Amino acid sequence: MIAAETPKKIWTLLDLVTWGTTYLTEKGFDDPRLNIELLLAHLLRLQRIQLYTNFDRPLSESELGMFKELLKRRLSHEPLQYILGETEFMGLKFAVDPRVLIPRPDTEILVETVINKIKKSFLSADDLRILDIGTGSGCIAVSLAKLLPNATVTAIDMSSEAIELASVNAGRNGVLEKISFLQKNFLTDHAGDQKFHCIVSNPPYISNREYGQLPTEVKEFEPTIALADGGDGLTFFKEIAEYAAQSLLSGGFVAVEHAFDQSESAQQIFQHAGLTNVSAIKDFGGHFRCVVADK
């Protein structure tokens, strides 16, 4: 007598969400259900909310295979944003991949601080000029160009690959004509003789000592040159402060993001450069995260 074959399990969306959430929980991942749902939504080209109205939908063998590959990438601690190929920042969509640092929510505080200060000081300026140092994905430059109608932005980065992706993001968000992208190493080649109303930067500020302690998702996948300065973490602040003192228009200001424990050092650097009204801004966790200083 020939035994009947056991029917192959049919996996529905709900089955995968339930199993995947448990599996990632056991592996120690934060937000396991969110991870699984975003991977499935990306794979099936659905909005995340659409998963809930399609929980009974079975996945084909090819879809299961592709989901397995995506999950393997996440299990290696590759950042979810790189797997999905995009992330959201200031309500805008940005393409991201290993060429650039992944935009963080805390950097939105830097952008919001700049926007609020510009609206108070330069709301009527016809030619509002902003310099973004170390543009990376372009999240700061693109957001400012998008949200400030009278702004033009010069965005510099030492990586030609970052400039390439930042230009794509500017195009995707309809502000390519408002941004001049330049490949420059700011530590050796500044942005020229142009004067700016605002200089903004989220520069590499991780010290050599702290770099080795970064999570695997950051240290092994995101570009080192966008994270660490190869020294004490303060190299770029010193250069930016000196440049801002020379290149800001009267009444202009500089705003930078820094590490949670660098506020006092960063403030002193900008004060020593002769800038005034140096102030500190806290992030969502209550840590000082940005320094702002006036010319």
Side-chain angles (χ1 to χ4, degrees):
M1 207 175 155
I2 300 175
E5 289 187 7
T6 303
K8 185 172 289 188
K9 177 176 174 57
I10 296 175
W11 287 84
T12 65
L13 278 176
L14 181 57
D15 290 332
L16 279 177
V17 168
T18 303
W19 173 84
T21 299
T22 301
Y23 189 66
L24 288 187
T25 300
E26 292 171 350
K27 295 295 183 180
F29 281 80
D30 294 331
D31 302 315
R33 185 180 178 110
L34 176 63
N35 274 256
I36 294 297
E37 290 184 353
L38 288 175
L39 289 176
L40 283 169
H42 172 70
L43 169 65
L44 301 173
R45 298 183 180 181
L46 297 173
Q47 296 296 318
R48 186 179 165 211
I49 190 66
Q50 291 178 297
L51 297 178
Y52 288 82
T53 58
N54 288 275
F55 267 160
D56 293 334
R57 178 196 188 283
L59 275 77
S60 68
E61 285 295 317
S62 62
E63 289 171 338
L64 285 171
M66 288 186 286
F67 174 74
K68 182 179 179 180
E69 291 304 311
L70 294 177
L71 185 59
K72 283 170 63 177
R73 291 172 64 183
R74 188 67 187 106
L75 288 170
S76 74
H77 291 279
E78 181 177 352
L80 185 62
Q81 294 92 333
Y82 287 164
I83 298 173
L84 302 179
E86 68 175 15
T87 192
E88 188 172 293
F89 182 85
M90 294 296 295
L92 305 172
K93 292 287 188 181
F94 288 86
V96 290
D97 61 33
R99 291 177 287 180
V100 298
L101 196 69
I102 297 167
R104 266 66 170 181
D106 283 336
T107 305
E108 293 187 352
I109 293 174
L110 176 65
V111 173
E112 290 168 354
T113 297
V114 168
I115 290 173
N116 290 336
K117 194 166 175 64
I118 282 176
K119 287 183 176 179
K120 288 180 181 177
S121 303
F122 304 115
L123 185 62
S124 60
D126 293 329
D127 180 24
L128 178 63
R129 298 191 296 278
I130 299 172
L131 172 65
D132 176 25
I133 299 170
T135 195
S137 66
C139 64
I140 293 175
V142 171
S143 297
L144 293 174
K146 187 76 172 180
L147 299 172
L148 294 168
N150 57 335
T152 57
V153 183
T154 300
I156 66 174
D157 200 288
M158 68 182 296
S159 167
S160 61
E161 293 183 329
I163 291 292
E164 182 181 14
L165 187 57
S167 299
V168 169
N169 283 322
R172 285 178 56 165
N173 286 285
V175 293
L176 186 57
E177 74 286 352
K178 296 182 66 178
I179 305 176
S180 298
F181 289 104
L182 303 175
Q183 183 189 356
K184 289 178 178 289
N185 181 343
F186 181 73
L187 297 181
T188 59
D189 184 12
H190 291 160
D193 298 327
Q194 188 176 6
K195 300 290 185 179
F196 299 95
H197 296 86
C198 169
I199 296 173
V200 60
S201 182
N202 177 19
Y205 54 68
I206 304 298
S207 68
N208 275 348
R209 176 178 58 83
E210 294 170 325
Y211 185 75
Q213 302 170 12
L214 291 175
T216 300
E217 291 191 14
V218 177
K219 184 172 58 177
E220 294 189 7
F221 289 94
E222 297 195 65
T224 302
I225 60 170
L227 292 163
D229 70 348
D232 62 0
L234 302 174
T235 306
F236 279 86
F237 300 132
K238 296 170 185 175
E239 199 71 27
I240 290 169
E242 293 296 330
Y243 183 74
Q246 300 298 320
S247 299
L248 283 172
L249 292 164
S250 178
F253 69 96
V254 57
V256 298
E257 179 178 326
H258 57 73
F260 74 95
D261 59 351
Q262 290 176 329
S263 183
E264 185 175 340
S265 297
Q267 289 182 66
Q268 289 176 356
I269 288 169
F270 284 93
Q271 288 168 348
H272 290 162
L275 297 165
T276 62
N277 298 324
V278 180
S279 59
I281 309 294
K282 290 183 177 179
D283 62 17
F284 295 116
H287 300 290
F288 287 111
R289 181 64 68 173
C290 304
V291 165
V292 181
D294 296 339
K295 172 70 178 287

